[in-house]
């Protein structure tokens, strides 16, 4: 028998804050600057949903450890500046959050420092304070299940009673690996077909989230 939902686990970038476009733009610029030309589609496929450590490993394999260190430092600087210049919640998110009565938390590949900045910049930090989890706290980032299992454990909820709201392929893969149901948000950069799979409902409008949760 399917357990009722007791916890909604939100990814951060691309689900709560509309930051993925910023990240992709910065990664493309860094690739051009540092010797790894990448299209926006290639950045989405390679980097979106993955931890900074995983991205740094990819860059190091291609360009060496020294350049990977420069890339990571430059990304933090440029991303921070772009977020300060203009970042907003994902369209329809605030309306959805106001209608969701289930317990919620955040589980993101980003660091706590990054989430304090992005969620704080958009006025969302206070909504989730004390219930924010980062891949820096677990051994393996997405698509491994570690982060979502850790979040469920910290929140005192079994994985089978959790639903994950994600916008990336590694994210929905991590949710499935954790034995959780997933809602794949395809209103951003990731094509819907990259989110489809077992125990996953794909949707395009964040305003529909409360209804989808009631139907699960």
């Amino acid at each position: 028998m399917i357990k009722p939902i007791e916890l909604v686990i939100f990814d951060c970038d691309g689900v709560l804050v509309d930051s993925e476009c910023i990240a992709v733009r910065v990664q493309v610029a860094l690739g051009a600057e540092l010797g790894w030309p990448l299209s926006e589609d290639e950045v989405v496929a390679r980097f979106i949903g993955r931890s900074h450590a995983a991205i740094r490993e990819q860059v190091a394999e291609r360009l060496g450890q020294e350049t990977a260190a420069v890339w990571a430092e430059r990304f933090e600087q440029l991303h921070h500046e772009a977020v300060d210049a203009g970042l907003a919640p994902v369209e329809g998110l605030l309306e959805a959050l106001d209608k969701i009565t289930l317990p919620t938390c955040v589980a993101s590949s980003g660091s706590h420092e990054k989430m304090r900045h992005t969620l704080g910049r958009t006025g969302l930090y206070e909504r989730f304070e004390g219930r924010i989890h980062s891949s820096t706290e677990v051994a393996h980032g997405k698509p491994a299940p570690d982060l979502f299992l850790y979040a469920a454990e910290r929140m005192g909820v079994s994985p089978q009673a959790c639903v994950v709201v994600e916008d990336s392929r590694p994210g929905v893969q991590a949710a499935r690996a954790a034995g959780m149901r997933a809602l794949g948000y395809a209103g951003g950069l990731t094509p819907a077909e990259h989110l489809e799979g077992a125990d996953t409902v794909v949707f395009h409008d964040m305003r529909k989230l409360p209804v989808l949760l009631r139907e699960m």
Side-chain angles (χ1 to χ4, degrees):
M1 184 175 178
I2 297 175
K3 280 193 173 187
I5 298 298
E6 298 176 20
L7 176 67
V8 184
I9 303 176
F10 286 93
D11 177 42
C12 183
D13 295 304
V15 170
L16 298 178
V17 294
D18 195 13
S19 55
E20 295 292 40
C21 289
I22 292 174
V24 169
R25 187 169 68 246
V26 170
Q27 297 286 23
V28 169
L30 286 172
E33 175 187 335
L34 297 175
W36 187 7
L38 291 163
S39 68
E40 290 189 358
D41 287 345
E42 287 173 324
V43 170
V44 170
R46 287 179 173 274
F47 296 164
I48 293 301
R50 298 188 183 275
S51 68
H52 287 196
I55 293 171
R56 184 165 174 165
E57 283 182 14
Q58 290 189 56
V59 176
E61 287 174 5
R62 180 84 177 211
L63 302 174
Q65 291 289 350
E66 186 174 334
T67 301
V70 173
W71 186 304
E73 182 178 350
R74 292 275 290 140
F75 178 83
E76 291 292 338
Q77 173 193 349
L78 295 173
H79 187 273
H80 195 283
E81 292 172 357
V83 165
D84 281 344
L87 180 66
V90 165
E91 185 178 356
L93 174 78
L94 297 180
E95 183 179 337
L97 289 178
D98 287 342
K99 295 178 180 178
I100 294 171
T101 58
L102 290 163
T104 60
C105 71
V106 179
S108 171
S109 294
S111 65
H112 279 286
E113 181 182 8
K114 179 184 176 184
M115 285 187 280
R116 276 193 296 271
H117 184 221
T118 56
L119 294 175
R121 183 70 176 76
T122 52
L124 290 168
Y125 190 81
E126 293 76 11
R127 285 184 181 249
F128 295 100
E129 190 171 3
R131 310 187 316 279
I132 299 173
H133 314 288
S134 167
S135 65
T136 59
E137 300 172 83
V138 297
H140 305 288
K142 305 170 190 177
D146 302 32
L147 177 58
F148 292 143
L149 292 173
Y150 173 73
E153 181 181 5
R154 290 292 303 272
M155 296 294 292
V157 178
S158 70
Q160 294 77 20
C162 296
V163 62
V164 175
V165 186
E166 263 287 356
D167 73 317
S168 73
R169 177 182 275 169
V172 292
Q173 289 173 335
R176 293 177 199 132
M180 300 177 182
R181 284 161 277 181
L183 288 166
Y185 176 61
L189 297 176
T190 302
E193 57 267 25
H194 290 184
L195 302 173
E196 293 170 352
D199 298 318
T200 303
V201 175
V202 177
F203 69 110
H204 295 79
D205 185 345
M206 196 59 74
R207 296 176 187 85
K208 295 182 178 179
L209 183 57
V211 173
L212 293 171
L213 290 170
R214 287 196 294 270
E215 292 175 346
M216 299 192 84

